[in-house]
Amino acid sequence: MPPSRRGRPQHPDPSDRPGSSGGPGSSGGRGPSGGPGSSRRSRPASGSRKDDAAPRAGRAAPSERRGRSARTAPRTPTRPGHRPTRVELTFLQGLGDVLADEVREVLDVAPRPVAGREDALVVDLPADRLAQVRRLRTAVAAFVVLHHDVPRPRSLLSGEHLTRIVEAVYASLRVAGSSTFRFEAAGADSPTFARLGDEFARATGLMLDPTDGELVVKVRRGARRDGDVDPGWDVLVRVGPRPLSARTWRVTDFPGAANATIAGAMVRLAGVRADERVLNLMCGSGTLLIERLLAGPAAAAVGIDHDDDALAAARDNLEAAGLTRRAALVRADALHPSSWATGPGADVRPADLILADPPWGTLHGSHSGAAALHSGLLRAAHEVAADGARLVVLTHEVKVMEAAVRAADALWRPRPPVRVYAKGHHPRIWVLDKLA
């Protein structure tokens, strides 16, 4: 595989862009979705070097900022007490079951499907537990959901409806601050939404930025009802200024880096064990390695890649995640274990969990070499795997991987692969258990 060049931050998945509302999408795999960038690696200017599990230190809530006139100073609504807050969680299609399991574990509630949607679940949470949704690693975004029995968006300007929406905005701001907002709705540039924007700005102190607003407010038709009953309108206020899928540890991008939400799903499918030795083959910018270590402790962890630029990006991201002391990076050919470094910290053989995101497309490899790459990966992983080890692979080379798994039936027992719908691509997540 030819060496690659580092590029400017790539955002093939809108959910990985700070200004995005977190709709389904992916940059999974090292493939053409990343696109060749410039010859130099760069960091987002706002990237913060801190553990991703910590809340984002965003801008202060409007009530904490100075310089407001008495006429426009926001008034924080009364906290809604123990009234449940309805929250919609979006996900990449194919990962609904994974997210549902995570919701039950992390939030201790039972999620429900959203009528008419194939990429969302809904839960009811006590208002004081809304911040817990930020712990979810397999959700794309979270929204506070309000339903209004009104015939048109203009009716949302009335006192009762506007008060509810402002309360939802403040609920989001209590989780993470924002200074601007924007609408996502059909007709968002209409006079009606201009008036809504003025009222929201007056009530909250936030500024309307139609293009790059941090706090996203969606307005959509409600779920269809029986008969001729008007479905009303739903208003959804995103929790926080960034989607859940936009990781704060990703301070250095690498073209075609794996989607962090998919990486989080891979970790959950494999299971997390505190005493396991973790090996990330073809680690790239460290997405799989970081998501595994953020999910829980490990006895040791090593990432291997032959590309200096990829390892430099992984080093930056590990530092931003606060994981530098918990993982080692090694420059070597992942398909030839005999060339790997040995010694304390640099060698986790035999490995209990092996993660891999092999190159695909033409950005870091070629389709013609995919068969040799995937079969070589299965052989190399088996060579360094402990008894009972799991191998988790994210690949876009669907037919190639199926053939490689069939040929390696004496080495690995596959579980049913998980198909992910990721912005025009349909990669598979394979979990394989080592055979004796």
Side-chain angles (χ1 to χ4, degrees):
M1 294 177 286
S4 63
R5 297 184 300 173
R6 288 170 278 181
R8 285 180 296 212
Q10 304 290 314
H11 294 295
D13 176 2
S15 70
D16 208 29
R17 185 174 64 246
S20 165
S21 67
S26 171
S27 58
R30 298 187 193 173
S33 62
S38 68
S39 60
R40 292 184 297 175
R41 197 166 33 106
S42 67
R43 300 178 183 175
S46 61
S48 58
R49 289 181 169 268
K50 58 186 176 181
D51 194 308
D52 185 63
R56 178 177 181 260
R59 297 172 178 82
S63 59
E64 299 172 0
R65 295 201 295 273
R66 297 177 295 176
R68 305 284 186 194
S69 68
R71 180 171 177 270
T72 61
R75 294 175 296 174
T76 304
T78 302
R79 290 178 182 268
H82 298 289
R83 184 176 63 194
T85 298
R86 181 151 295 180
V87 180
E88 183 170 298
L89 303 168
T90 59
F91 56 85
L92 297 178
Q93 290 186 49
L95 299 183
D97 290 342
V98 180
L99 174 59
D101 287 341
E102 186 182 22
V103 167
R104 284 187 282 267
E105 177 184 317
V106 174
L107 303 181
D108 195 27
V109 295
R112 308 182 301 279
V114 177
R117 300 284 300 278
E118 296 182 352
D119 63 348
L121 298 172
V122 67
V123 297
D124 293 321
L125 292 174
D128 58 359
R129 291 179 54 199
L130 181 61
Q132 294 181 12
V133 301
R134 302 188 77 198
R135 297 169 52 197
L136 298 172
R137 312 298 297 181
T138 63
V140 172
F143 296 86
V144 175
V145 184
L146 305 172
H147 179 72
H148 301 265
D149 282 319
V150 296
R152 58 186 63 86
R154 183 174 60 189
S155 303
L156 298 173
L157 288 163
S158 67
E160 176 188 355
H161 300 298
L162 185 61
T163 297
R164 291 180 62 205
I165 298 170
V166 171
E167 285 181 348
V169 168
Y170 272 96
S172 174
L173 293 176
R174 283 191 288 269
V175 174
S178 299
S179 62
T180 59
F181 73 96
R182 60 188 165 96
F183 291 112
E184 286 192 359
D189 57 351
S190 68
T192 294
F193 278 94
R195 287 186 60 195
L196 279 171
D198 289 342
E199 292 296 332
F200 284 6
R202 184 175 296 110
T204 65
L206 301 179
M207 294 182 296
L208 175 62
D209 183 339
T211 303
D212 298 314
E214 296 173 330
L215 187 69
V216 173
V217 180
K218 290 186 174 185
V219 181
R220 72 185 185 201
R221 270 306 224 173
R224 187 178 299 277
R225 302 175 180 179
D226 294 334
D228 297 328
V229 179
D230 189 279
W233 291 83
D234 293 336
V235 176
L236 298 87
V237 179
R238 191 174 68 191
V239 179
R242 293 158 55 100
L244 300 178
S245 57
R247 308 299 205 231
T248 58
W249 56 255
R250 197 187 290 281
V251 296
T252 303
D253 279 286
F254 190 74
N259 176 284
T261 302
I262 297 178
M266 293 172 66
V267 170
R268 289 196 63 83
L269 289 169
V272 176
R273 304 170 188 173
D275 60 346
E276 65 187 2
R277 300 164 69 86
V278 179
L279 176 62
N280 185 187
L281 299 179
M282 310 175 197
C283 69
S285 57
T287 302
L288 303 184
L289 189 63
I290 291 170
E291 286 296 311
R292 166 57 188 86
L293 293 177
L294 289 177
V302 169
I304 293 179
D305 204 293
H306 75 287
D307 189 291
D308 288 329
D309 289 346
L311 291 172
R315 193 171 295 111
D316 289 343
N317 291 332
L318 280 165
E319 182 181 350
L323 299 172
T324 302
R325 296 184 179 181
R326 292 177 56 190
L329 297 173
V330 175
R331 186 183 186 281
D333 185 340
L335 301 187
H336 295 90
S338 60
S339 68
W340 301 355
T342 59
D347 192 353
V348 293
R349 290 173 282 189
D352 303 292
L353 173 63
I354 303 173
L355 304 166
D357 171 28
W360 63 283
T362 58
L363 185 58
H364 299 282
S366 65
H367 179 71
S368 62
L373 176 66
H374 284 70
S375 60
L377 168 63
L378 296 182
R379 288 194 301 271
H382 187 270
E383 181 179 337
V384 301
D387 291 342
R390 296 101 66 213
L391 169 63
V392 189
V393 180
L394 173 66
T395 180
H396 291 251
E397 296 284 359
V398 177
K399 297 299 183 182
V400 168
M401 183 64 177
E402 290 174 351
V405 169
R406 286 195 299 269
D409 60 354
L411 306 179
W412 298 100
R413 181 177 62 252
R415 304 179 195 177
V418 176
R419 184 183 188 184
V420 184
Y421 295 80
K423 198 185 177 184
H425 301 290
H426 303 142
R428 304 294 196 273
I429 300 173
W430 288 81
V431 180
L432 304 104
D433 298 289
K434 183 184 178 183
L435 297 173

